[in-house]
């Protein structure tokens, strides 16, 4: 192969790379300003949704009413986050529901966390927080990161998200932060 042909191929590859990479690279998702109807800073949600593709939400029937409801955030039809919102009259210990043998909200390496709600736990793959609201009602929020079950040690990103998301959700549903 002549030197001219080699230079032409290198030049063509360089031109392709310069023009195609920005357009041909994987598209990143647009992080919403609200997750499950609650405003949250995009920089707090981004680490939990780290991926590419189209973002969507699915809510159970009765969304926003007292009782239990679920909101699932998906990226390209793959579940990334599962949030459970629960209104109840009894008080609960989030540590009981954080146990890994709890199939619904089991967390990896759960520990109690303070100054998030009246009672809260934090794990490597989620968090559960509960607090008293007006009258006889208590409110519990359980977050589970389900995007990639092999990825662990997201504790700091989950804590940062929950420290903003729980108070914002409590405000939206009419509870006051302790």
């Amino acid at each position: 192969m002549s030197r001219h042909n080699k230079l032409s191929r290198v030049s063509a590859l360089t031109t392709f790379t310069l023009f195609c990479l920005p357009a041909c690279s994987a598209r990143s998702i647009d992080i919403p300003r609200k997750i499950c109807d609650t405003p949250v800073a995009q920089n707090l949600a981004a680490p939990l949704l780290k991926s590419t593709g189209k973002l969507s939400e699915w809510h159970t029937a009765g969304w926003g009413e007292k009782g239990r409801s679920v909101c699932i955030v998906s990226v390209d039809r793959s579940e990334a986050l599962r949030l459970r919102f629960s209104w109840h009259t009894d008080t609960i210990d989030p540590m009981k529901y954080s146990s890994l043998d709890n199939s619904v909200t089991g967390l990896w390496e759960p520990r109690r966390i303070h100054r998030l709600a009246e009672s809260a736990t934090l794990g490597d793959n989620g968090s559960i927080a509960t607090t008293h609201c007006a009258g006889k009602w208590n409110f519990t929020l359980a977050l589970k990161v389900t995007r990639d079950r092999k990825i662990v040690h997201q504790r700091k990103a989950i804590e940062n998200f929950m420290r903003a998301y729980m108070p914002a959700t409590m405000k939206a549903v009419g509870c006051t932060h302790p």
Side-chain angles (χ1 to χ4, degrees), residues 34-97:
K34 287 185 175 184
I35 300 284
C36 303
D37 294 335
T38 298
V40 66
Q42 292 170 308
N43 66 323
L44 297 175
L48 304 181
L49 296 170
K50 197 183 312 179
S51 190
T52 59
K54 184 179 181 211
L55 191 85
S56 61
E57 287 186 9
W58 175 86
H59 305 257
T60 55
W63 175 249
E65 299 172 9
K66 283 198 169 45
R68 293 179 189 210
S69 55
V70 175
C71 176
I72 296 173
V73 180
S74 298
V75 178
D76 274 346
R77 297 185 191 152
S78 292
E79 185 177 316
L81 301 176
R82 179 177 293 255
L83 292 102
R84 295 179 182 275
F85 304 83
S86 178
W87 291 91
H88 43 92
T89 56
D90 56 331
T91 58
I92 67 160
D93 179 3
M95 202 63 175
K96 175 183 173 186
Y97 297 95

Side-chain angles (χ1 to χ4, degrees), residues 90-111:
D90 56 331
T91 58
I92 67 160
D93 179 3
M95 202 63 175
K96 175 183 173 186
Y97 297 95
S98 296
S99 167
L100 196 53
D101 24 335
N102 187 304
S103 63
V104 176
T105 55
L107 303 179
W108 297 324
E109 309 262 339
R111 295 188 188 104

Side-chain angles (χ1 to χ4, degrees), residues 138-151:
N138 292 286
F139 175 73
T140 300
L141 168 61
L143 165 70
K144 194 161 186 184
V145 178
T146 55
R147 171 178 39 84
D148 188 346
R149 297 178 199 283
K150 296 175 188 169
I151 297 175

Side-chain angles (χ1 to χ4, degrees), residues 101-177:
D101 24 335
N102 187 304
S103 63
V104 176
T105 55
L107 303 179
W108 297 324
E109 309 262 339
R111 295 188 188 104
R112 291 200 185 276
I113 184 171
H114 303 287
R115 295 182 301 278
L116 173 61
E118 285 180 21
S119 186
T121 58
L122 176 67
D124 288 338
N125 64 330
S127 179
I128 303 171
T130 188
T131 195
H132 182 75
C133 290
K136 63 180 181 176
W137 294 103
N138 292 286
F139 175 73
T140 300
L141 168 61
L143 165 70
K144 194 161 186 184
V145 178
T146 55
R147 171 178 39 84
D148 188 346
R149 297 178 199 283
K150 296 175 188 169
I151 297 175
V152 294
H153 309 298
Q154 296 183 23
R155 187 178 298 269
K156 192 61 181 170
I158 292 167
E159 179 179 356
N160 291 340
F161 178 84
M162 284 292 284
R163 289 206 180 274
Y165 194 82
M166 180 65 176
T169 302
M170 289 168 54
K171 181 179 178 183
V173 298
C175 299
T176 56
H177 199 274

